[in-house]
Amino acid sequence: MTEQVCNPMHRPSHRRLRTRQRSFNGDDAVYIPHIISQIQQAEAASEASLRFESLLASLSTTFIKTPVPDIERQIEVGLQRVVEYFALDCGVLSELLDETTTPRVRYWYSMPGVAVPPGLLSLNKFFPWYASQLTQGNNVGCAHIDELPAEAGADRQYWLCSGLQSFLAIPLPVDGVVVYVLSVATLCSEYTWTRELIVRLQLIGDLFVSALMRKLNQEKLEKHLLLETLVADLSTVFTKAPASNVDTEIEDALRYVAECFGVDQNFLLEFSADHMALSTTYGYVVSRDSHISPSKICIDQELPWFTDQLLRGELVRFHRLDELPVEAALAKEAWLKRGIKSALIVPVSVSNTTICAFGVAAFRTEIDWPPTWILFLRLIGEILANALARKRAEEVSSRLWHELTHAARIAMLGELTASMAHELNQPLAGILNNAQAAHRLLAMESPDLVETREALLDSIADDQRAGKIVQLLRALGKKGVVERTPLNFNTLVQQVIRLVQSNMFEKQVTLSLDLAMDLPTVYGDPVQMQQVVLNLMLNAFDAMQHRTRCPRVLAIRTAHEASTAITVSFQDTGIGVNETTMRNMFAAFFTTKAEGMGMGLAISRTIVEAHGGRIWARPNADCGTTVCFTLPVSCEVAV
Amino acid sequence: MNIADAVVFVVDDDTLFRRSMERLLSSVGYPVETFVSAWEFLQREPPTGPACLILDVQMPEVNGLALQELLAGAERLMPIIFLTGYGTVPISVKALKAGAADFLQKPCTDQVLLDTIDRALLQAQQAWCEHAKQTTVQQYLKTLTTREREVLALVVTGMLNKQVADALGMSEKTVKVHRGRIMKKMHAVSLAELVRLADQGGITP
């Protein structure tokens, strides 16, 4: 307070006090009544001063105690107190966004029945003098509109129309730049703006501004914290997200980012293969405005300037479209068409190569992008780009694995050509025999219709048998999508046996089946599972190929444990495997066969594990090996 | 062409196929017997007349080729026709070398199948005729005395009575008597026929 007393704006009253002291110390005490009147005036002034100081103290205490979210309301309350205290009609605190546009009225108060006149609200082209005075830091005011200087002619015209009597506008600078304006006015009576009053209003205005600054700083800090938390959250999410979830995680992240930054839309742009164009891979648009469709975010045309800028590692940042250089005309037009007012787009590099760009944009208001956001956007862009790169890599590897599995299946089917031909020719031969027999039977004088009917029924049965084999072969040969259906392994094992039967006879292998009753259903891809069973059977045949002394027996067993898992085991009487082979047999490219690729068991393991199961091998007590796999019995993966 | 009482055996592990074969062959008029495995077939009495065996290659336990091996020596009287769902060159070569009458691929038309069966049965019939003749000669041979056998063995070599007499240390007249008895016992009308019969009976010069 003492400081404020020394403020030059208090100078007039000081001067007056000094004058009074001098005349008091003077020789002649003739003008006593005059002195009394002077004393009375001084007392009145001192009382007014006291009253004002108590208002100021009260306001300042209020603002100190007011938590940030309440500051705006308290400013409005403060304006009301000011208007009432100084017996004015209205008070406005507005923010100058810049000199050419209308100031944004942040807070105002007007006495009941009094409308805030437009002159106090707008600084547009109708009030050029007023605007220039304020931006230069000069107070503007008049007791009556007619007192305005000649150069304010244009302004005056409009003020006259607005019904203003007296007004005062005080610019309130922040760091040397006029940001806020406190304006007060009367509409019905003239008001004399004494220096004292101006100083007092200025003090109150400073109080408002300092409270607002506190609020802004606090908000800025909170925003910064929020963005830091956002980056931390996103990096945690994407570190944990499996490749299959990356899509949804990115979409969620974009919504989260838009909320945290308070922007209307954000997007991840990817360069085309030739780096000529950019396309939107992921985007989010706030849906509060239903007329904004997500297609707005698509940058689907070639914008050379924009692409070049980002490829050079430069960011694209504009507060208003006008700020864009001439060479960006095409981009400007594209954005204008999409209603974009402000945008900030940063290039994102992964291992020193710009692979995409991340950006935020606004279409409802213009946003002057804070410099700190660039860093945050770069960080977020990198997190998203890394996740995307990981997802792409996993997609490629998954596709290759799928192809390899298919190739292995086809190779396995190749081994079964003889068996398959036999299995198909058998029913075909039966059908032909039956048809020919029926033909002969009918040609007889008294045809044996019962026998003919039997022949036809057998043909149907044979045909169905052939059909099933063709179906199985087609399924194994196709390169379809992986599906999950309920599977009964007893049926599945028997289907595969049918396929390898002749192969088995040829290799003189005897099969011993021990299929569990009430085997629970498991969920899985039928083709992949047949592939596993086929692979394990063919491996067993190979293992027994060079066994001449002891019988070649393959024992296949299905079993279940407490209804939680099923086990399928393949026990052979083959040559067995050594410890090294036992350890490595499920690894890719490990083989003991001259023509083997070493992929069969590796693929089987991948398939079993992808179904939540486990596969292992153990030596038998006497001779040969047993390979087992388990699969969980669960309904949760049911499609 | 049907050969009276000729039986066709079918050995195949596939029930539907066995039934279809039985039906087809019955419709043509062949007596058919089917067997599910080599073991089942081996338990049957050997046939006493012309027959043929239609055999599948790929069967559990004893496969077609193994059965062919077990039946070795009998295939002249019971030709084997292999009928397989998937025949490879090595398998067919092996089967044919071991004396198979034919090697057919499933499915085959009734014309091919029946022609093959007819051929096989004709072959079997001829074999049976041979077999029957051989049996007669053996029976005739059995009626000869030891001395007569000795004389026969030398006569078929083209020796004159005098030479035979010298070789066996007997008179020429005795040789003549033996020869007359031999001709009668062997039901031969000429020396040429006697030589042929002796040859069939395993007595070769």
Side-chain angles (χ1 to χ4, degrees):
Chain A
M1 275 324 203
T2 34
E3 264 179 11
Q4 279 168 0
V5 171
C6 299
N7 195 303
M9 285 169 272
H10 267 239
R11 231 172 278 141
S13 78
H14 261 269
R15 204 163 43 224
R16 222 171 13 237
L17 277 173
R18 249 184 260 128
T19 320
R20 192 183 61 184
Q21 277 174 343
R22 203 172 39 237
S23 51
F24 213 66
N25 290 339
D27 297 328
D28 46 354
V30 193
Y31 304 106
I32 286 176
H34 179 66
I35 292 169
I36 289 172
S37 125
Q38 272 191 341
I39 288 171
Q40 278 170 343
Q41 269 178 24
E43 276 174 355
S46 141
E47 197 186 322
S49 196
L50 258 173
R51 266 182 57 222
F52 173 71
E53 269 167 32
S54 83
L55 170 73
L56 202 64
S58 151
L59 281 176
S60 119
T61 319
T62 308
F63 282 122
I64 287 166
K65 284 183 187 161
T66 304
V68 167
D70 276 352
I71 283 178
E72 297 195 313
R73 201 176 53 82
Q74 282 307 328
I75 286 177
E76 295 201 329
V77 172
L79 282 170
Q80 181 183 353
R81 289 179 71 182
V82 168
V83 168
E84 284 167 0
Y85 179 86
F86 292 105
L88 299 160
D89 285 335
C90 61
V92 173
L93 183 68
S94 35
E95 188 181 348
L96 290 187
L97 292 173
D98 69 59
E99 56 205 74
T100 56
T101 51
T102 312
R104 192 147 67 99
V105 173
R106 295 289 298 262
Y107 318 98
W108 75 88
Y109 176 77
S110 57
M111 291 302 280
V114 175
V116 178
L120 284 184
L121 306 181
S122 59
L123 263 190
N124 59 19
K125 59 185 177 183
F126 303 122
F127 301 92
W129 172 79
Y130 178 51
S132 76
Q133 289 297 313
L134 284 177
T135 45
Q136 283 165 36
N138 297 332
N139 294 339
V140 182
C142 59
H144 193 272
I145 295 297
D146 293 338
E147 291 174 9
L148 284 171
E151 58 265 41
D155 308 60
R156 216 175 117 238
Q157 288 301 314
Y158 288 98
W159 267 311
L160 280 173
C161 301
S162 68
L164 267 175
Q165 282 283 341
S166 310
F167 79 91
L168 174 68
I170 300 167
L172 302 164
V174 174
D175 299 332
V177 181
V178 178
V179 178
Y180 296 99
V181 177
L182 177 66
S183 348
V184 287
T186 56
L187 276 79
C188 308
S189 55
E190 284 186 21
Y191 203 101
T192 312
W193 310 105
T194 60
R195 291 196 75 84
E196 216 166 0
L197 187 71
I198 294 170
V199 167
R200 284 175 181 175
L201 282 173
Q202 205 154 17
L203 277 174
I204 291 171
D206 284 342
L207 206 57
F208 288 162
V209 169
S210 84
L212 276 175
M213 285 297 115
R214 177 160 71 91
K215 178 175 174 284
L216 273 179
N217 284 333
Q218 178 80 24
E219 279 172 354
K220 223 187 251 176
L221 195 68
E222 275 170 10
K223 185 97 181 176
H224 199 85
L225 262 173
L226 178 73
L227 296 182
E228 272 179 3
T229 318
L230 168 74
V231 170
D233 282 357
L234 289 182
S235 71
T236 316
V237 164
F238 283 104
T239 316
K240 287 181 190 159
S244 53
N245 286 1
V246 164
D247 266 340
T248 38
E249 292 292 0
I250 288 184
E251 274 159 22
D252 285 354
L254 290 187
R255 199 179 57 241
Y256 186 24
V257 168
E259 280 166 10
C260 289
F261 280 91
V263 292
D264 296 335
Q265 65 181 73
N266 59 3
F267 39 79
L268 192 65
L269 305 171
E270 271 187 281
F271 288 101
S272 61
D274 58 1
H275 275 203
M276 289 302 285
L278 276 161
S279 61
T280 313
T281 316
Y282 299 92
Y284 174 77
V285 181
V286 287
S287 53
R288 273 170 288 174
D289 289 357
S290 54
H291 64 279
I292 302 292
S293 73
S295 65
K296 283 218 164 186
I297 56 177
C298 292
I299 294 171
D300 44 11
Q301 70 192 90
E302 286 188 12
L303 304 172
W305 174 82
F306 182 54
T307 314
D308 281 357
Q309 189 86 354
L310 291 171
L311 271 180
R312 270 190 281 119
E314 303 277 335
L315 52 93
V316 174
R317 177 191 186 185
F318 58 92
H319 173 195
R320 276 198 316 266
L321 279 169
D322 306 345
E323 291 172 10
L324 288 169
V326 188
E327 49 283 24
L330 209 58
K332 196 168 150 183
E333 191 188 320
W335 286 319
L336 189 67
K337 215 165 69 190
R338 290 174 177 81
I340 290 173
K341 287 184 177 150
S342 312
L344 171 59
I345 300 135
V346 295
V348 177
S349 319
V350 171
S351 14
N352 286 331
T353 318
T354 304
I355 57 157
C356 58
F358 184 60
V360 288
F363 47 71
R364 289 184 296 198
T365 51
E366 287 170 355
I367 297 181
D368 192 6
W369 309 104
T372 47
W373 284 22
I374 297 166
L375 177 70
F376 283 117
L377 286 183
R378 268 190 215 277
L379 282 172
I380 294 166
E382 268 169 40
I383 293 169
L384 298 184
N386 271 314
L388 201 59
R390 182 161 60 89
K391 183 192 155 220
R392 295 275 152 82
E394 278 183 40
E395 273 169 0
V396 168
S397 102
S398 138
R399 200 188 63 235
L400 288 177
W401 188 256
H402 200 68
E403 272 170 20
L404 183 65
T405 307
H406 179 251
R409 212 152 61 215
I410 297 295
M412 221 156 37
L413 288 181
E415 275 181 54
L416 293 176
T417 324
S419 199
M420 289 181 313
H422 183 262
E423 286 311 313
L424 277 177
N425 283 335
Q426 203 70 12
L428 285 179
I431 292 168
L432 188 61
N433 282 349
N434 278 317
Q436 287 165 341
H439 186 244
R440 278 171 197 279
L441 286 168
L442 290 174
M444 288 175 180
E445 263 179 44
S446 52
D448 182 348
L449 291 180
V450 176
E451 191 60 29
T452 311
R453 192 169 166 270
E454 291 288 316
L456 291 175
L457 288 177
D458 276 1
S459 292
I460 294 170
D462 263 335
D463 181 87
Q464 282 167 345
R465 183 156 65 129
K468 272 183 194 157
I469 288 164
V470 171
Q471 227 172 358
L472 194 64
L473 286 178
R474 270 190 60 181
L476 283 171
K478 85 173 176 192
K479 205 169 167 180
V481 284
V482 180
E483 49 179 337
R484 297 226 170 212
T485 50
L487 299 173
N488 181 314
F489 259 80
N490 287 348
T491 320
L492 195 135
V493 164
Q494 277 165 325
Q495 276 175 336
V496 177
I497 288 172
R498 168 106 260 171
L499 214 57
V500 295
Q501 193 149 270
S502 317
N503 209 292
M504 204 162 63
F505 296 158
E506 202 183 300
K507 296 193 164 157
Q508 290 170 337
V509 173
T510 313
L511 192 69
S512 143
L513 275 182
D514 179 8
L515 305 178
M517 300 270 279
D518 312 320
L519 193 71
T521 300
V522 294
Y523 283 86
D525 182 69
V527 173
Q528 289 196 343
M529 283 304 160
Q530 279 159 354
Q531 181 170 5
V532 173
V533 172
L534 191 58
N535 177 236
L536 297 183
M537 285 186 81
L538 292 180
N539 275 352
F541 293 168
D542 285 344
M544 294 188 281
Q545 204 174 4
H546 301 295
R547 275 275 169 186
T548 41
R549 293 243 182 92
C550 66
R552 300 169 186 174
V553 182
L554 170 61
I556 303 181
R557 255 173 234 109
T558 60
H560 59 100
E561 301 141 21
S563 298
T564 57
I566 67 155
T567 308
V568 186
S569 64
F570 300 78
Q571 181 180 5
D572 66 46
T573 57
I575 45 171
V577 293
N578 61 31
E579 218 174 285
T580 321
T581 309
M582 189 69 77
R583 244 196 336 268
N584 297 313
M585 61 199 282
F586 293 104
F589 305 114
F590 182 87
T591 185
T592 55
K593 300 175 198 169
E595 299 107 36
M597 258 210 311
M599 289 315 289
L601 283 175
I603 289 170
S604 291
R605 188 180 72 173
T606 310
I607 294 173
V608 168
E609 286 176 357
H611 283 77
R614 212 160 55 81
I615 188 167
W616 72 95
R618 59 159 188 264
N620 297 331
D622 40 4
C623 66
T625 317
T626 301
V627 180
C628 306
F629 65 84
T630 61
L631 289 171
V633 176
S634 72
C635 303
E636 66 201 44
V637 287
V639 178
Chain B
M1 184 187 78
N2 279 12
I3 289 150
D5 303 328
V7 189
V8 181
F9 299 116
V10 176
V11 179
D12 199 304
D13 59 313
D14 187 331
T15 313
L16 276 170
F17 181 75
R18 267 199 325 273
R19 276 222 302 264
S20 76
M21 280 302 278
E22 188 173 359
R23 197 170 283 132
L24 177 68
L25 296 179
S26 301
S27 75
V28 187
Y30 283 117
V32 188
E33 283 182 42
T34 63
F35 304 88
V36 69
S37 68
W39 290 127
E40 199 184 86
F41 177 69
L42 288 170
Q43 276 160 25
R44 191 203 183 275
E45 292 280 310
T48 52
C52 76
L53 172 60
I54 297 176
L55 187 55
D56 187 14
V57 179
Q58 287 138 328
M59 287 190 296
E61 295 174 28
V62 181
N63 66 27
L65 292 173
L67 180 60
Q68 184 188 26
E69 236 172 89
L70 289 173
L71 295 172
E75 75 258 31
R76 275 188 64 238
L77 294 173
M78 185 180 60
I80 298 175
I81 300 166
F82 278 99
L83 188 55
T84 177
Y86 185 77
T88 61
V89 173
I91 292 176
S92 59
V93 166
K94 197 177 170 195
L96 291 171
K97 263 192 175 169
D102 218 325
F103 195 95
L104 298 180
Q105 177 99 32
K106 284 176 195 169
C108 70
T109 62
D110 54 355
Q111 208 48 58
V112 172
L113 184 65
L114 295 175
D115 283 353
T116 312
I117 290 174
D118 281 346
R119 252 198 324 273
L121 287 178
L122 190 65
Q123 191 192 326
Q125 198 185 33
Q126 282 163 357
W128 274 101
C129 284
E130 288 292 307
H131 180 69
K133 273 184 202 155
Q134 230 170 44
T135 317
T136 317
V137 172
Q138 289 295 338
Q139 274 167 358
Y140 294 163
L141 282 173
K142 271 184 195 156
T143 61
L144 300 183
T145 64
T146 315
R147 207 59 177 167
E148 285 165 352
R149 275 177 179 271
E150 286 170 357
V151 172
L152 177 63
L154 297 175
V155 167
V156 295
T157 62
M159 276 184 172
L160 299 172
N161 285 350
K162 191 174 163 42
Q163 288 169 307
V164 173
D166 279 355
L168 294 173
M170 59 174 69
S171 70
E172 200 179 334
K173 195 176 173 187
T174 313
V175 173
K176 265 188 183 167
V177 172
H178 278 309
R179 253 181 93 153
R181 281 194 191 135
I182 290 167
M183 293 290 275
K184 202 173 173 186
K185 280 183 176 173
M186 292 300 287
H187 298 77
V189 289
S190 66
L191 179 63
E193 195 181 359
L194 184 68
V195 171
R196 194 174 53 80
L197 288 170
D199 182 49
Q200 277 178 1
I203 297 166
T204 47

